[in-house]
Amino acid sequence: VQLQASGGGLVQPGGSQRLSCVASGSIARIDAMGWYRQSPGKQRELVASITSGGTEYYADTVKGRFTISRDNAKNTVALQMNSLKPEDTAVYYCDAFIMLATGGRVQHYWGQGTLVTVSS
């Protein structure tokens, strides 16, 4: 199983950016999916998550600005980021809790990270 994130880049303050992540491989089921971020010198933090049923969670720092969504048929999760601020600059990682088609317990997988830089 692999998680492939894309969509990072340079964006001006107040601008928007959309991140996408697709899970591929022998997947039986995906439970929660989400996005984390890590800035230099800081711990990785949860930005937003979404359950398979569509229940969303947002960190207080991004509420009202970011929107998480998923397409269960395509095994994708997206993060729409609006009104971006310089403090949103970070490497963003997608994650997912996945049960393989071969069975077994649900395991936690990470994408490779994509850099978002908010700067003028």
Side-chain angles (χ1 to χ4, degrees), residues 8 17 24 28 35 40-41 44 55 64 84 101 111:
Q17 194 83 346
S24 61
W35 291 92
R44 190 174 296 189
T55 300
L84 282 162

Side-chain angles (χ1 to χ4, degrees), residues 56-101:
E56 301 167 20
Y57 163 84
Y58 296 95
D60 288 342
T61 51
V62 306
K63 274 182 185 176
R65 301 188 297 122
F66 290 12
T67 302
I68 191 170
S69 61
R70 65 186 285 173
D71 184 330
N72 291 330
K74 296 181 179 179
N75 292 340
T76 59
V77 62
L79 186 69
Q80 177 65 42
M81 305 183 292
N82 299 329
S83 303
L84 282 162
K85 305 175 182 179
E87 51 263 43
D88 294 317
T89 295
V91 177
Y92 284 73
Y93 299 88
C94 59
D95 80 315
F97 290 85
I98 298 173
M99 175 180 284
L100 301 181

Side-chain angles (χ1 to χ4, degrees), residues 36-40 42-45 89-93:
Y36 283 73
R37 68 185 181 187
Q38 187 167 21
S39 305
K42 294 187 177 180
Q43 288 189 331
R44 190 174 296 189
E45 61 175 354
T89 295
V91 177
Y92 284 73
Y93 299 88

